[in-house]
Amino acid sequence: MTAVSLEHTTVPADTGEVTLLIARRVEPGHEASFERWAKGILESAAAFPGHLGYGFFRSSGGDAPWFLVHRFRDTEACRTWQESPERAAWFADCDGHHHTEIARRTLTGMETWFAKPGSTRPAPPRWKMAISATLAIYPLSVLGGLFLTPHLAALPLLLSSAVMACVFNVLMTYAAMPAVSRLLRGWLAS
C-alpha cells in the first residue's frame, strides 16, 4: 500500500476525535476514475468545519482494497459530513467508477493506537487498552521523575506541568504506545 496524501500525522488522544477508515474494492481497469472520485470526495470533506485531515492509500495490487481515511474534531463534525448534501452528491455521481465499500471502521480515542494498518479487526476491549497504556505510562513517569522533574523544579507549577504533559504526550504517541501495542499485539487481538 502506498501513501498518497496524509495530513495530520499525530494520533488522536482520547479527546473525542473521530477517525473514519473506509476500505473500497475497485474493479480492474477503473482505478483512474476511482482515484479522481476518491480525491474529490476527500477534498470536499476537508472543507467541512471540524475536519482535521485525510489520507488516501492505493491498493497494493490484485484484490487488495483501497483505503480512505478522514479525521474529525468530534462525532458531531463526522455526522455533519456523513449527512451532508455534498457527500450525497459525490455518491450520486460515482456511476462508472466500479467500486464497492467492503469495510468501515470508526475509531475514537485510544483505539487508534491499537489499529493495525489495513486491518478491519475491531479495537481491543477498553480494559486491555487501559492496561497497555499503563504499561507505557509507568516507565515514562519514572524516567520523567528522575530526569525531567529536577530541571523543572524552579518553574511555576502550571508551566512545569505543561512541559511535562507535552513531553509525555510526544513520547506516548511516537515511542511508548507504538512499542507496547507491537509487543502486546497477540494478547490485544485475543
Side-chain angles (χ1 to χ4, degrees), residues 17-190:
E17 292 179 18
V18 175
T19 301
L20 183 60
L21 302 160
I22 304 144
R24 298 190 79 81
R25 184 152 294 126
V26 180
E27 292 177 23
H30 299 277
E31 296 87 355
S33 62
F34 170 73
E35 192 166 341
R36 283 190 300 275
W37 176 86
K39 288 181 178 179
I41 198 169
L42 289 167
E43 290 171 4
S44 180
F48 270 67
H51 192 278
L52 301 177
Y54 63 84
F56 178 61
F57 301 87
R58 291 187 176 102
S59 169
S60 59
D63 208 26
W66 297 59
F67 291 93
L68 290 83
V69 181
H70 294 282
R71 281 191 54 227
F72 295 92
R73 177 185 59 237
D74 53 30
T75 304
E76 185 58 36
C78 183
R79 184 180 309 115
T80 299
W81 162 247
Q82 295 281 68
E83 296 172 357
S84 72
E86 291 87 345
R87 181 179 178 275
W90 280 101
F91 277 94
D93 185 34
C94 67
D95 290 338
H97 297 187
H98 301 271
H99 54 88
T100 308
E101 183 174 304
I102 58 170
R104 174 181 293 253
R105 286 184 62 196
T106 303
L107 303 174
T108 58
M110 281 194 342
E111 64 264 23
T112 56
W113 275 329
F114 301 97
K116 184 178 177 186
S119 171
T120 57
R121 174 178 289 172
R126 285 193 175 267
W127 68 269
K128 286 187 176 183
M129 291 190 287
I131 290 170
S132 301
T134 301
L135 292 173
I137 291 170
Y138 180 73
L140 293 180
S141 298
V142 171
L143 293 172
L146 287 172
F147 298 107
L148 193 56
T149 303
H151 298 288
L152 300 176
L155 296 175
L157 176 63
L158 291 178
L159 183 57
S160 66
S161 296
V163 170
M164 193 77 94
C166 289
V167 170
F168 277 34
N169 182 41
V170 169
L171 290 174
M172 282 290 289
T173 300
Y174 294 104
M177 283 311 301
V180 167
S181 63
R182 266 192 311 277
L183 288 171
L184 301 178
R185 182 167 284 138
W187 176 71
L188 290 165
S190 63

